[in-house]
Every structure is written in C-alpha cells, then in structure tokens.
Amino acid sequence: MTQVNRLAGGQVDRSKELSFKFDGKSYRGYQGDTLASALLANDVRLMGRSFKYHRPRGPLTSGSEEPNAIVELRSGARQEPNTRATTAELFDGLTAKSQNRWPSLAFDALAINDRLSNFLAAGFYYKTFMWPAVFWEKLYEPIIRKAAGLGSLSLQDDPDSYDKGFRHCDLLVIGSGPSGLMAALTAARAGAEVILADEDFLLGGRLNAETYAIGDEDARDWAAATVAELGAMSNVRIMPRTTVIGAFDHGIYGALERVSDHVAVPADGKPRQILWRIYTKQTILAAGATERPIAFEQNDRPGIMLASAMRAYVNRWAATPAHTVAIFTNNDDGHRTAHDLAAKGVTVAAVIDTRADALKSEHFEVIPGATITNTQGRLGLTVIEVTLSTGQTRSISCGALGVSGGWNPNVHLASHQRGRPTWMPEISAFGPGATLPEGMHAAGAAMGQLSTHGALQSGAAQALVALKAMGKEGARPDPPEAEDAPIRITPFWHVSGAKRAWLDQQNDVTAKDVKLAHQENFRSVEHLKRYTTLGMATDQGKTSNMGGLAIMAELAGKSIPEVGTTIFRPPYTPTAIGAFAGRSAGADFRPIRKTPSHFWAEEQGAVFVEVGMWLRTQWFPRPGETHWRQSVDREVAQTRKSVGICDVTTLGKIDVQGADAATFLNKIYCNPFAKVPIGKVRYGLMLREDGIAMDDGTAARLAEDHFVVTTTTANAVGVYRHMEFVRQCLFPDLDVQLISTTEAWAQFSVAGPNARNLLRKVVDEEHDISNEAFPYMGCGEISVGGVRGRLFRISFSGELAYEIAVPTRYGDALIRKMVAAGEEFDAVVYGTEALGVMRIEKGHAAGNELNGTTTALNLGMGRMVNKKKDSIGSTLSERPGLNEKDALKLVGLKPVDPADPVPAGAHLMTKGTPVDAAHDQGYVTSACFSPNLGCHIAIGYLKSGDARMGEVIRLVSPLTGVDHDVEVVSAHFIDPEGERLRV
Amino acid sequence: MIIDHPLLGPRDSAEFTYLGDASLIHRPDWEAKDAISQFAEYGYQRDNPAGTHRELWFHEQGDRSWLVVTRSTTTHEITQVELARDVARREGRST
C-alpha cells in the first residue's frame, strides 16, 4: 500500500522519493511533502491523541496553526516533542512517533478519560483536588503528572547548536503570499533594503494551495517568478523557513530561522536554528488569515479538517485525505474547496451549507440550509449525519470532511504591543486594530482583504505608505488581474444542541465547557480562557478562540465585539528554549574571567571557585592533604610565620585623574581625602546616598592629580557606575576623569614577616622599599626587571604586607618570579579561603559585613563619617533610625567550649531570654577555623556590641541545631595594636 | 528598544543599564536646615507616571555616558535623549 491517496500534480518532486517511519512503520513520500501530507498520501489520518480525553485525532490544518497532529520527531538525543506534523518537512530517514498514548495510537488505555468526560469538565482540577492539602503532594500531583503532558524529552543533551544573529533593513515583509510578494516587489524596486520572511519552506503562501490565475499565469508560477525576481535583487534578502515570532519596541522583530530542521543532522558547522533580531524602519504584516472551524457534535474525528487545509493538501501536495469527501460551510469559500477536489477526481459526496441561499453546482450536490449533527468512525471518519432544512436527517458516507467557518486575519503580531484587534463585520472576524506597533502596516488577508486581487492591491499600497514614511518614493506597480470574488459569509459558529462539539481540540475544550464557564460566572474572555484552558495549548487557540468567543457572546446576549477578544503575546508559534539560549549554554553560559596567575595555579593543581565571572584559586592542595582545611590551615600558618602570596587582581581598580581628583574622592568616600599626601594610601568607606555602606577599599595617591581606587571584587562594576553617576550627573564641572583598569593590572598581595625580604629580590634595586623609605600605607611606582609596576604597602591579613602590580601580560611571569624568589623563605601561595581566614582573624569587613543593610556605625566606623564635608550618604547616615542607642556593632565571637563551631548565619541571644525574633540580639556574618587561635572564631553584628566585651551570650541556629555559648570579644583577634603592619 | 545616543547614534537598549527617575540629578544642599528630610524626599519619593518619564540610563557596554532619556512608560516611545552632564549643567549643578 503505497501512497494510495496521492493524486496527480502538486508541488512535490516525484523524482525524489523519500522513506520515513511513523510509529515504527515505513512509508514513502516525496521531496516537498510535510510529514502530514505524506501520511495523508499514505492514507494515514490518525496522527495523535488529545491532551485530556485522549481522543483520536488527525490534522485539522495544513500549517503552523495545527492543534492535533503533534508528534515526537527524530530519536535519540535529537528527539523533539510536540512537533507539528503539518510543518515538519519530510526528509529521507525521518522518524516520528505519535505521543500521549499508551500502549499504541490505535488503542490508548487513557481514552477511558473520554468515557469519564462528564466528570472531567472545565474546572475539574480546581474543584476536585482541593482538599485535604496533604493529598496534593502525595496523591493527586503524582497521578496528574503521570497522565499530563504531551510529548516526552530525550533527557539527553541537545547535540546541536543554536545561534543568534542581527539583521537590519528598511522594510521587513512578514509573509510571502500575494500581498507580501507585492509589497516586497514595490519596495525593492524603489531601492529599499527589504527582508522577506516566511515560515514556510516554499514561498508564495496561499498561492501554492490555490488553482486560480494571476494575469495570464498560474498563481503558483506567478509566485515563483516574483520570488525569482526578488532573489536577483541585491537589496532583497529572502528568508524562508523563518517565523517572525514577535514584534518588539522601536521596529525590532524576533525571527526564528530553522536552518537545519529539514535535514536529519545539521551540516557540519551549521546551527540547528538561528534566532534573529531584525531591526527595521517599516514593516508589512502580510501574515495572511487562518480558516476557522464550525463546532458540531463529534467534530474531531480524524478526517475532519478545515476546508482550506483539504484544498492545500490536494492542490499543493497532491494528497487527499480520502477519495470521498464532504464539505460543511457557511460561506462561498467552502464551495471552492469542493470545486478543486472535484476537479482532481476526488468524489464530493455533498456540500452542506448552513445558508439557505447557498451557491449551486453542476459537479456536486449542495444541501442548503443544513447542518451536521453527528459523525461516526472510531479512529477515522466514516459517516456524517446531516439535519436538513426540513428537520429530516440523512447519513452520508465519506472519509473526510472539510469545514469552512470563515477566515480570521492573522493579527497576532499586530497586537504584540497591546494593540486591540477590531471587529470587521464584512468578514465577521477581528482584524488589526487602529494601534499597530510603530512602523507596522497590515496588508492582504492579514487586514481582511480576502480576495487575491485585494491582497495584491493592498500589498502594493501599503508598501507605498511604508516607503513614504521612510522618505522614499515608490511607483505603484500595475498589479496583474486576479480573482476578486466578493466575500459572502453568514456567521455560523456552532450547531446548537451539540453535547460534544470541540472548540479547542488540543486542550479538549468543548462548547459545553464554555457554557459551564458562563454558568459559573466566568464571563470575561480572560476568565473564560483560564477557566476552560481554551486557547492555552501549544497552538494558542489560532483555530479555536473565535468559536469560544462567539458562544460566550451568544450566552451573554451580546455581540462578539462587545465581548471582545484576548490579545496575543510572543512567540507567534512555539519556539525552542535552545534558540533563546543560543550559544549561552553549558560552559559557555557566561564568560569566564581568568586571573593572571590562572595557568600557573592550574599547574599547581589549584582548586578554583567562581567569584562572579572570575575563577579564583580557593586553595592549593599539597600532596598528602586529604581535606581542604589542611591546605587552608597550612597556607594561613605559613603566611603568618614567613610569607604568603595571593592573586588579588580581581579587586576592582579605578584610575581617577584630574585637577579635582581629590575633591571628587572627598564626595565619594565618607572619610576625608583632600589632604592625602602623594605617595600615600588611605582606606576609604563609600556610602550609598541612603547612608548604608556601599563598598570599601583604598585610594592611593600617585600624584597630585592621580589616584588609584580599589573596590571589592563583587562591587567593581557597580562602584564604577556609581562614580560615573556622581561625576556626570551630580558634579558635572569637576575636572576629573575615570577609567576602570581592573583588567590592565595584575596585582598580588605579598604578606607576612618575610614579605619585604621576598620583594627585595623581585623589585628592581634602585627602588628603596625599606620601612623608612616605604612605610605602612605608602605607595609608589616601581619596576620589576625593567617592567613598570606599582607597589602599595597595604594589608588585609594584618601582617606586614604589600600589593604589587604589573601590567597584566606580565602577571604570569611575576607569580613565577615571586614563587622562585620565595623558595628560601618557604613562601606559600594562598587562595581565597586563607585570605578569608586571615581577614576574619584581623576583623576586617568584607561582603558579608557590607551586606546592604549596615552602616558605618554598625561597622564600628561611625566616627569616620566626616561631618565637615558633603559626601554621598553623609546626610542620611545621620537619620535617627540608623543611630539607635542599641545599634548593631561589629564584634568578635569565640566559643566558650573551644570545640564548638560558630557558624555564619546563626543568631545571637542574651542568655535567659526566649529565642524569638523580638529578643534577637544580632547575627554572625563570617566564621572560620583559626589555626592561630586553635578554635573556631567569627565576627558578627551584636546590639550595643562594643559595650558588651566579655559577655557570654547564646548562639542559636534552630535550622542546623546549633545552641551553645560564645564570648563577645574584639573583632581584632590577631595583633590588635597593629604592630605587625608597621615593622 | 533603541536609544538614540547623542554622541553615538542609535544603540540597542541592551547596551545600557537603567537607574531611574532623572530627578536624581537634583541632589539637595547638605547644608540646608532640613537637609535630612530633603534627602529623604530625594532618595525615596518618586513619581510613577503612566506616560512621559525622564529617566537615567548608563551606557555601560558603550562609552559610559549617563543619559537622560525621555520615554513614555506606556508606549516606550522615546522623544528625547540628552547627555546627563548637559542636563545637570542646565539644571543648576554647575559649581
């Protein structure tokens, strides 16, 4: 049985026969087929099961609006669920599986839901699974999860890549039907840069599905010739297989190009899909129209489809769903389908027209004033039951039924900027509203011009409007003669009395569900949608929304425009998450910043940690060390005993230059900077304007008009942004310039009693770095092997310490040179853990303490806020609320039992008071094991902490079961007098 | 969105970071008698108009200019873009 439903003609290439598999069975089709057209050609109408009732379903449409024929395409890692068979291009070796059925498509056990439909009506889940709460997690949810969903995922990584791209044009034409082609031609001939995008692989839109003529030519030939003319113009870019998925602000459009979906495996180096961002001055929305069905009893059997889809299958793909068909229509367009099918040799059993004044035909029987009141055929249509105008019924045998309820303009993109569609009574449908996205003009069927002649005319006319808007002149081309049939439609939405008349076939919403919603007072269209799930499936109700609205209006005794319509959001059709991610996946999710010592550290087997985008060394394990604490304790002990080196390049560095540099820093920092001598570094605390601490760091004055400011690693970007704000927006006339030099300098901390001895072997001899010449908080320009550098005598560890900087490209050489020079001192290189331990031992604040809620007062630096000058945050730092008598103060904490930990996040309570929020006394911010003290230590905030030294308080963390006593001590656990810094 | 940078021409809004109301340029006088309440007003009180809004954008992935962008919050239409420094000078921030 090969392609028994294949007819003559069509736009398939019969010289290229393709083989494919559906549910394990092999079939043959042709190049140019979709999966749906090829299956129909092979007499397969049953392609899927519905979401809720597991009803057998076949394709309703021939395009991207398809609700039913949804399959799993491909296998293995490339398995792709919920793919529309109506748009999947056939390729040799394609495999597809039906979904949402078990054990097989023809026999699905969960079809029992269909028998239970009386209990599973709209709102069933809301009403049923409400009580008791514990049942939800244990019982309801697992059951629902098992039954829910359509396709399945491969659960493997996607082997294909997805790209993003940017394109610019004068005019974007969305859709390549008659209006789109005419618009593109008009604009291109006027010299505009045009992009013509169409979701289909064959350009021409509906022209490929019709049989009439344009001028002297077959419409399809006219389309092909026009596409060829456009393709030959250098100012035109044609993008087939490209769906414009969203209209965004200022003429920016999102478009998905399916580069490799039509082949089994993407060609080498090609992405699977590209998400384009198209910048355009003007846009023509020529997206066409979608036919809508009529709801009647049992209208969802495989073989029942839109009349226009049936016509497209027969004309374009030469595939008929059956050899005997019938048509059910409320307008003249349904008759066109009957004509085309009859001309192709398909038997048209009858055209059932709801109108008494239906057209007459010599080629087939027309039954005027009649409706379809039932159908038969379990897995595919066999019989329709017609109720005649006389009230008598009549059964007609047929294998397929084309349904035509009129056409809805595809206004989706027109309402992406919240434009409301407006009712067009002449076509009984919603068209684009008065407010379109900036620069957009609708043309052709998308604006309700349903005749070919009207489409050609409006395409040209709208292109001229667009050209004029961009200041270009265009000549109106002479559109060729084409069919210009009047629209004759008598609205007819559903056959009354039907119990199971499907509106939304994917989500199984029936006319009855809409009635139930109305009965239960869900009367706004938005409520109707959410209560019944009408239009909420993957097809977003392209074929179903109007039917629901019409029934809603009827029940409410209102007109359809009074009831109104929901509007549309991007994307126009389902878009893979992979396309939005593009290359930002896995290891490339975001950039990785590597420090200058990274490669050296890798050689040492360093353990790295992500700090923002930076990768920093966390610790350096040595042979024999089996626990990270061993490595960290060693690094700390050795630094305090002799000398340690640490890469601190990641700290932000901002170069501040200009005659007003000191004045500027006086604004930025709460403490004074005007009188910092040249060659000196000062610690600075930056406040936010609300008085909360923002960041801290140092500013080194290298010259009268030159400072180098450091920031914490985490705040480098934000501090720079803030400083530019202060400079440009608040003090626009200060003579000061800023630039971030974080990446320009490799910087290392050298700390410990032997720090100077080590540096003497590194810094060129002519620079005197003795304690006298280069005292604590000194800074200056130096050189290292002739390479310019900077030296700052600052300490984060509490030891004699320096930070040495060289241009980044010498960073790797410098770490190697210092490690070699340090051998005689048994120097150690330490990571961020040891850095953290030493700063906690010294009581220095870091990100945990500068946490966005704390002030200079909390940090114990209240007196640093200079009251004699204006600086950012100084005024609001005086707010009473930030200066309560019992304000939090930074303290040190030591366990009473040295074996106890002091975990960060634990709260502090006065002994003997209840453990609750009302009695809370503060919390631990940073904690570590101190190898120097031999116990855990911590720093944290405690109410009136500075006045409670020596008090034993209770440390509690109910979450982790911690509850023991700690002693309040100075946060300066090591060298409180700071003697080591100055030696 | 596209922001028509006064120095660089039209740029995609993805290159910018957003701060908020351009009234932040009008930082109060710290020596005023009611400085604390003026600063509280400055720091916390914002109009939230449905319509025209003057706001600060920072060209972080670009030339690091702060801009004052006049944008409709309902349509995103941008009617004016100026360098914040020019606005600050014009509005009395010159020293």
Side-chain angles (χ1 to χ4, degrees):
Chain A
M1 189 175 78
T2 57
Q3 308 197 38
V4 294
N5 287 353
R6 189 71 78 175
L7 308 170
Q11 307 243 69
V12 290
D13 184 350
R14 283 161 209 262
S15 69
K16 290 185 183 140
E17 206 181 9
L18 311 172
S19 78
F20 68 101
K21 277 187 178 177
F22 179 63
D23 278 344
K25 198 170 165 203
S26 292
Y27 299 95
R28 301 189 83 75
Y30 296 120
Q31 186 81 42
D33 262 325
T34 63
L35 176 58
S37 71
L39 284 170
L40 289 175
N42 284 282
D43 201 25
V44 176
R45 290 172 299 173
L46 174 61
M47 297 188 197
R49 289 270 177 174
S50 67
F51 180 65
K52 189 164 150 190
Y53 298 131
H54 293 248
R55 302 261 298 184
R57 295 279 169 75
L60 178 70
T61 75
S62 59
S64 65
E65 66 273 30
E66 176 61 29
N68 284 343
I70 306 237
V71 300
E72 271 170 26
L73 202 60
R74 300 183 166 87
S75 57
R78 288 193 168 85
Q79 178 178 316
E80 181 187 304
N82 304 340
T83 302
R84 289 149 290 162
T86 51
T87 58
E89 264 179 89
L90 199 67
F91 54 83
D92 200 44
L94 177 148
T95 58
K97 277 192 304 193
S98 58
Q99 50 191 38
N100 208 34
R101 85 290 186 269
W102 184 85
S104 75
L105 188 55
F107 176 77
D108 177 4
L110 270 175
I112 186 72
N113 281 5
D114 197 32
R115 306 268 174 235
L116 300 174
S117 63
N118 277 342
F119 305 100
L120 293 174
F124 165 72
Y125 290 95
Y126 301 132
K127 290 168 184 165
T128 310
F129 299 117
M130 286 178 60
W131 184 90
V134 66
F135 275 31
W136 179 255
E137 206 176 304
K138 299 261 162 61
L139 185 65
Y140 300 145
E141 193 181 334
I143 293 173
I144 292 169
R145 282 211 180 279
K146 197 162 181 335
L150 291 166
S152 60
L153 297 167
S154 73
L155 302 179
Q156 297 174 46
D157 284 346
D158 188 337
D160 298 327
S161 59
Y162 298 80
D163 265 329
K164 289 185 187 176
F166 299 81
R167 280 190 173 152
H168 298 257
C169 61
D170 295 325
L171 181 71
L172 170 65
V173 180
I174 302 165
S176 67
S179 60
L181 288 177
M182 210 61 204
L185 200 59
T186 306
R189 282 177 179 166
E193 297 283 332
V194 175
I195 290 178
L196 174 63
D198 196 292
E199 60 180 349
D200 206 331
F201 53 95
L202 179 66
L203 298 187
R206 273 309 290 187
L207 296 180
N208 293 310
E210 307 293 355
T211 50
Y212 43 71
I214 290 183
D216 306 329
E217 292 175 275
D218 185 290
R220 291 175 282 188
D221 296 337
W222 180 85
T226 307
V227 170
E229 182 183 344
L230 288 166
M233 298 168 86
S234 61
N235 55 329
V236 177
R237 181 188 291 276
I238 298 176
M239 298 178 72
R241 300 186 176 97
T242 301
T243 307
V244 177
I245 58 171
F248 302 97
D249 294 304
H250 303 168
I252 303 173
Y253 288 79
L256 184 80
E257 182 181 8
R258 289 171 295 277
V259 180
S260 309
D261 279 5
H262 60 294
V263 292
V265 174
D268 198 28
K270 288 276 187 194
R272 175 77 174 274
Q273 299 177 341
I274 301 174
L275 185 63
W276 292 102
R277 191 185 283 212
I278 299 175
Y279 297 79
T280 182
K281 294 184 182 127
Q282 297 281 309
T283 305
I284 302 285
L285 179 66
T290 302
E291 200 175 20
R292 62 198 184 212
I294 297 170
F296 54 91
E297 183 73 17
Q298 308 288 347
N299 62 337
D300 64 331
R301 298 193 191 280
I304 301 178
M305 61 176 65
L306 293 169
S308 59
M310 190 178 265
R311 195 156 88 219
Y313 284 122
V314 166
N315 287 335
R316 174 172 168 184
W317 288 288
T320 185
H323 287 284
T324 302
V325 304
I327 302 293
F328 184 29
T329 186
N330 66 351
N331 66 88
D332 288 358
D333 194 61
H335 293 256
R336 181 182 286 162
T337 301
H339 274 286
D340 283 5
L341 266 69
K344 286 265 188 173
V346 176
T347 304
V348 177
V351 173
I352 298 98
D353 197 318
T354 59
R355 303 168 300 174
D357 63 344
L359 297 173
K360 294 180 173 61
S361 173
E362 295 170 5
H363 306 288
F364 41 80
E365 183 191 359
V366 176
I367 309 176
T371 58
I372 297 179
T373 42
N374 206 351
T375 68
Q376 294 170 26
R378 195 174 71 85
L379 298 176
L381 182 69
T382 54
V383 171
I384 55 172
E385 292 175 16
V386 179
T387 298
L388 308 174
S389 57
T390 58
Q392 291 169 302
T393 58
R394 179 178 149 191
S395 292
I396 299 172
S397 291
C398 57
L401 175 71
V403 183
S404 178
W407 291 78
N408 292 328
N410 288 331
V411 300
H412 308 74
L413 289 156
S415 62
H416 281 183
Q417 302 288 314
R418 298 202 63 77
R420 292 232 155 239
T422 50
W423 182 250
M424 301 178 73
E426 65 276 22
I427 58 167
S428 298
F430 282 101
T435 322
L436 297 185
E438 188 183 316
M440 182 189 278
H441 315 273
M447 67 177 290
Q449 288 285 349
L450 297 181
S451 78
T452 311
H453 175 77
L456 293 168
Q457 287 283 358
S458 79
Q462 296 302 320
L464 290 175
V465 173
L467 284 168
K468 197 173 172 195
M470 60 180 103
K472 286 189 162 72
E473 285 292 318
R476 178 182 287 271
D478 211 7
E481 287 295 311
E483 71 76 36
D484 195 15
I487 297 149
R488 284 198 344 120
I489 178 169
T490 305
F492 188 92
W493 305 100
H494 68 120
V495 177
S496 56
K499 292 194 179 91
R500 307 197 74 193
W502 309 90
L503 296 167
D504 183 331
Q505 298 208 14
Q506 192 176 136
N507 267 357
D508 278 333
V509 180
T510 63
K512 199 176 119 190
D513 292 322
V514 176
K515 284 173 194 150
L516 183 66
H518 179 262
Q519 191 181 312
E520 300 192 351
N521 217 20
F522 291 94
R523 295 182 183 198
S524 122
V525 285
E526 301 289 352
H527 286 154
L528 166 69
K529 173 177 165 178
R530 282 156 185 84
Y531 191 61
T532 62
T533 71
L534 174 76
M536 288 170 71
T538 60
D539 63 320
Q540 290 284 290
K542 289 188 178 67
T543 56
S544 60
N545 280 349
M546 270 307 297
L549 293 181
I551 294 172
M552 191 74 173
E554 193 181 296
L555 293 167
K558 290 179 181 172
S559 67
I560 292 172
E562 278 175 320
V563 168
T565 177
T566 54
I567 58 171
F568 304 92
R569 280 179 292 212
Y572 176 62
T573 50
T575 308
I577 296 287
F580 290 107
R583 300 271 172 177
S584 301
D588 298 326
F589 179 64
R590 60 179 185 179
I592 292 171
R593 301 170 82 182
K594 291 177 179 170
T595 61
S597 65
H598 185 87
F599 297 108
W600 177 86
E602 253 179 355
E603 291 165 21
Q604 311 309 309
V607 173
F608 293 102
V609 59
E610 285 182 29
V611 182
M613 289 185 197
W614 289 102
L615 270 189
R616 296 187 75 180
T617 299
Q618 203 168 6
W619 63 83
F620 293 89
R622 285 265 174 92
E625 290 172 350
T626 55
H627 189 275
W628 64 271
R629 265 276 310 282
Q630 293 172 305
S631 311
V632 173
D633 288 358
R634 171 182 49 75
E635 289 170 13
V636 171
Q638 190 59 18
T639 300
R640 295 220 186 277
K641 187 177 151 205
S642 178
V643 61
I645 302 163
C646 183
D647 191 329
V648 293
T649 303
T650 63
L651 272 76
K653 305 178 204 77
I654 299 166
D655 214 62
V656 181
Q657 296 195 38
D660 295 325
T663 310
F664 176 73
L665 293 185
N666 233 2
K667 299 285 184 195
I668 291 290
Y669 288 116
C670 69
N671 50 321
F673 271 80
K675 291 176 185 155
V676 178
I678 295 166
K680 279 286 186 186
V681 185
R682 183 166 290 177
Y683 173 82
L685 181 66
M686 237 175 244
L687 303 182
R688 309 191 312 214
E689 193 68 273
D690 62 2
I692 301 291
M694 175 191 249
D695 198 55
D696 70 347
T698 59
R701 191 166 205 171
L702 296 178
E704 180 64 27
D705 59 352
H706 187 191
F707 287 82
V708 174
V709 164
T710 66
T711 74
T712 58
T713 300
N715 289 337
V717 171
V719 166
Y720 180 80
R721 186 188 302 155
H722 167 72
M723 286 170 67
E724 283 289 6
F725 170 76
V726 173
R727 185 179 81 94
Q728 296 177 39
C729 300
L730 301 184
F731 303 102
D733 288 330
L734 288 185
D735 177 5
V736 61
Q737 303 294 327
L738 309 175
I739 192 163
S740 166
T741 59
T742 305
E743 277 90 353
W745 294 91
Q747 195 150 320
F748 297 93
S749 163
V750 181
N754 278 320
R756 187 182 301 120
N757 295 334
L758 189 155
L759 282 174
R760 275 200 171 121
K761 296 175 67 183
V762 172
V763 175
D764 291 342
E765 269 178 19
E766 62 264 34
H767 305 287
D768 184 358
I769 59 168
S770 68
N771 196 30
E772 296 68 37
F774 212 101
Y776 178 57
M777 296 307 262
C779 67
E781 315 227 345
I782 47 123
S783 61
V784 179
V787 172
R788 73 191 174 112
R790 290 168 177 173
L791 191 65
F792 311 90
R793 190 166 161 192
I794 52 180
S795 177
F796 198 43
S797 57
E799 298 298 325
L800 164 68
Y802 299 81
E803 287 187 15
I804 183 169
V806 292
T808 300
R809 62 187 177 280
Y810 298 107
D812 181 75
L814 182 57
I815 184 75
R816 292 173 198 275
K817 189 181 175 85
M818 289 198 295
V819 167
E823 260 176 46
E824 67 173 277
F825 311 109
D826 216 1
V828 70
V829 182
Y830 61 92
T832 54
E833 284 297 324
L835 181 85
V837 169
M838 288 190 276
R839 72 102 187 160
I840 294 169
E841 287 180 337
K842 185 64 185 171
H844 279 313
N848 294 8
E849 287 72 41
L850 299 162
N851 61 14
T853 69
T854 52
T855 63
L857 182 74
N858 300 146
L859 285 158
M861 301 179 192
R863 283 156 67 183
M864 270 175 68
V865 184
N866 191 299
K867 310 287 185 198
K868 291 182 185 152
K869 65 158 187 172
D870 176 30
S871 67
I872 302 298
S874 64
T875 301
L876 286 186
S877 74
E878 293 173 34
R879 283 187 283 167
L882 297 183
N883 293 278
E884 300 279 355
K885 272 207 174 112
D886 64 346
L888 295 169
K889 295 284 170 60
L890 193 66
V891 296
L893 299 161
K894 252 171 84 171
V896 171
D897 178 347
D900 282 336
V902 194
H907 275 250
L908 304 170
M909 315 296 306
T910 306
K911 287 186 68 105
T913 61
V915 178
D916 59 25
H919 294 85
D920 189 63
Q921 294 295 298
Y923 57 98
V924 178
T925 52
S926 300
C928 69
F929 178 80
S930 165
N932 294 288
L933 278 78
C935 65
H936 287 87
I937 59 167
I939 56 176
Y941 289 109
L942 176 67
K943 281 185 176 174
S944 306
D946 51 343
R948 296 169 75 170
M949 292 298 148
E951 185 181 332
V952 171
I953 57 173
R954 202 169 150 198
L955 180 86
V956 290
S957 173
L959 207 61
T960 51
V962 168
D963 187 350
H964 53 249
D965 291 346
V966 293
E967 185 190 343
V968 181
V969 296
S970 159
H972 309 295
F973 293 93
I974 295 274
D975 187 27
E977 303 304 320
E979 285 163 2
R980 297 185 195 180
L981 303 166
R982 295 180 171 81
V983 295
Chain B
M1 288 199 295
I2 292 172
I3 294 174
D4 197 0
H5 192 298
L7 304 178
L8 302 174
R11 313 295 307 180
D12 194 290
S13 61
E15 295 174 5
F16 295 81
T17 50
Y18 177 80
L19 179 64
D21 198 320
S23 68
L24 284 170
I25 287 172
H26 303 133
R27 187 169 179 268
D29 176 9
W30 71 291
E31 290 177 307
K33 266 194 181 147
D34 59 344
I36 288 187
S37 63
Q38 279 195 38
F39 268 92
E41 181 83 12
Y42 165 77
Y44 293 107
Q45 301 298 327
R46 301 271 192 287
D47 288 335
N48 184 19
T52 304
H53 188 226
R54 291 173 78 243
E55 54 203 17
L56 287 159
W57 290 74
F58 182 50
H59 200 198
E60 191 148 78
Q61 310 292 325
D63 76 339
R64 297 167 279 135
S65 289
W66 277 96
L67 305 179
V68 174
V69 176
T70 307
R71 179 181 67 103
S72 166
T73 57
T74 54
T75 65
H76 292 185
E77 188 193 3
I78 291 174
T79 45
Q80 195 174 16
V81 184
E82 296 173 275
L83 289 177
R85 166 171 271 169
D86 293 344
V87 175
R89 284 182 174 141
R90 196 175 66 226
E91 295 181 359
R93 295 296 311 175
S94 283
T95 44

